[in-house]
Amino acid sequence: MILRNTLMAAAFLLAATAAHADENLSAAILNCSALPTDAAQLACYRHVAAQIKADAAGAPPVRDTGNAPVAAQNTFGSSAAPEPLDHIIDRIADVTYSGFGHFTVTLKNGQVWQQTEGSTVHLHKDQTVIVKHGSLGGFHLSIQSDVGIYGSYEVKRIK
């Protein structure tokens, strides 16, 4: 009951905050509602709300790594990185799931990232993801969509 009320409040907040962007907001809510678990949906709604607040405050969008040297992109997440990047953006080439529902994604750049904890999420080929540095040397993978970024899943680079 509390989760349902929280989701309803989040949806209302999103609608009230982004009335000027009805189409994008509708798409974001539909994307969140398609996630398989309540926890993943709630995380998605919270992320969309944060993105709307950041947009309203004039925060800069996530910087694309397209201009970063290829060597830096290819070594992101490994100890051999020649220069620090704060994140990479790439598309999923392949995705598999463990018996516990955790994903392992192979990106188009050849890197392989494995979910270490968190709720299950349904990923698919050609979906755009962002991998960022997290706390204590960890990494987080988020999903990018036409309406923003949602979800944050702890991952480790395995290749």
Side-chain angles (χ1 to χ4, degrees):
M1 180 72 163
I2 293 172
L3 181 58
R4 190 180 111 212
N5 290 341
T6 303
L7 291 174
M8 289 174 59
F12 179 76
L13 172 67
L14 290 172
T17 306
H20 68 282
D22 287 337
E23 290 179 22
N24 287 343
L25 179 60
S26 295
I29 290 172
L30 288 174
N31 283 341
C32 292
S33 69
L35 294 173
T37 65
D38 288 345
Q41 290 174 0
L42 181 58
C44 178
Y45 292 132
R46 285 180 176 161
H47 184 78
V48 172
Q51 185 67 39
I52 290 169
K53 288 178 185 177
D55 290 346
V62 174
R63 179 178 61 85
D64 193 347
T65 56
N67 294 328
V70 173
Q73 293 180 47
N74 289 340
T75 58
F76 180 81
S78 74
S79 59
E83 62 182 77
L85 290 177
D86 58 350
H87 71 279
I88 60 167
I89 300 174
D90 205 352
R91 292 188 173 274
I92 295 174
D94 190 36
V95 61
T96 58
Y97 295 90
S98 72
F100 298 107
H102 288 171
F103 61 79
T104 299
V105 294
T106 302
L107 302 179
K108 297 234 177 185
N109 68 10
Q111 293 180 3
V112 180
W113 294 85
Q114 184 177 60
Q115 183 181 7
T116 57
E117 58 182 69
S119 59
T120 59
V121 62
H122 180 71
L123 300 173
H124 55 83
K125 289 182 182 180
D126 291 322
Q127 196 167 20
T128 301
V129 295
I130 300 169
V131 182
K132 297 188 217 184
H133 287 279
S135 60
L136 302 173
F139 293 91
H140 293 273
L141 181 140
S142 300
I143 303 155
Q144 185 174 20
S145 71
D146 294 337
V147 294
I149 301 167
Y150 64 92
S152 181
Y153 306 92
E154 290 187 34
V155 293
K156 66 178 178 180
R157 183 168 175 189
I158 59 174
K159 179 179 174 192

